[in-house]
Amino acid sequence: MATYLPPFRNQSPYLPFGEQRTGRFYGKDILSVKQFNRSDLEYIFGVAHEMREMVERIGTFDLLKGKILANLFYEPSTRTSSSFTSAMERLGGSVIPINEVRYSSVAKGESLPDTVRTLECYADVIVLRHPEIGASALAAQYARKPIINAGDGVGEHPTQALLDLFTIVGELNHVDGLTVTMLGDLKYGRTVHSLARLLSLYDVRLNYVSPEILKMPSEIIAELDEKGIVQKEYTSLESVLPYTDVLYVTRVQKERFENQDEYESVKGAYVITPAIMQDAKDRMIVMHPLPRVGEISLEFDQDPRAAYFRQMEYGLYVRMALLAMVLGRA
Ligand code: CP
């Protein structure tokens, strides 16, 4: 007898008899921040807030008991990979970890579509990090189960942007009216590409501070211009720091450079120190997607404005919310 495979998502062939699953994200891919509006964000953050309360009260609970996540990472990761693992396990589910594809059949030449079609036989949702722009969108064309983009080359990192925004809301209570300054590698840093787009849903002012060769891509600036977002570019932090509410620092992405001499010429362009931060507001935050490689000095870590370690914890709650939502339990 032929095995029945569902041709479309949301037909719920996997549900136990009588069980209903709903929600605006049920069965959906998370591929780009472009798919979200403000109402979506309020919904996600509401669920993330509930996740935080549950973790603080009881730690682990069985919302996704029996569900399986496949973590498929073609590039290194500490935070994204382990926070999705933690998120799934705190929700009572389990994880297939493929954090090193060279020990998988990818090393034998298996294509991304085939790898995804394999993993979805065993898992209910796939989190994918890949070095090529558009890899998650490609995977989603072949997959019947939801694909969550955990970074596609220099393209996007939508779940990072969601957790970044959740951090801003958690730390400063609002987004409208803020001045956000992005610093460092704005060309290759996918986190700033996603965050700038997500922030464009709000009334914000964006400053981009980078070396000349690492400027924010012109297509993103044009996209945000069309939405009326005030954006200014600088090569020095000095003039904008005193007016900044969120300083979003990024690592210069050594692995993306074709010319290593170019990397050497910009790698230490900016270093945030307690002395530099004397010019910043008392009520502001410094964020970083991490890892850092020298662009924020360790001496600044004790400053209450240093939000980058808290930012990682906010990420757990957002990723719990996303998993619960795409699996129809929120
Ligand atoms: N912020 C982030 O994506 O970190 P990892 O590369 O460690 O996942």
Side-chain angles (χ1 to χ4, degrees), residues 12-32:
S12 308
Y14 306 105
L15 296 183
F17 181 74
E19 187 172 339
Q20 294 293 318
R21 300 216 185 129
T22 56
R24 67 177 97 171
F25 291 99
Y26 175 42
K28 298 267 171 64
D29 305 304
I30 308 290
L31 302 177
S32 164

Side-chain angles (χ1 to χ4, degrees), residues 15 27 32 37 123 142 193 230 235 239 278 290 293 317:
L15 296 183
S32 164
N37 57 36
Y142 290 90
H193 301 165
V230 177
T235 53
S239 65
Q278 281 180 3
L290 302 177
V293 288
Y317 310 127

Side-chain angles (χ1 to χ4, degrees), residues 204-232:
V204 292
R205 182 188 180 92
L206 297 180
N207 297 318
Y208 304 135
V209 183
S210 72
E212 278 296 334
I213 61 169
L214 297 177
K215 289 167 80 169
M216 183 65 88
S218 54
E219 63 269 23
I220 294 179
I221 295 182
E223 202 180 303
L224 270 60
D225 261 343
E226 289 226 334
K227 294 179 163 186
I229 300 295
V230 177
Q231 304 169 87
K232 293 268 165 54

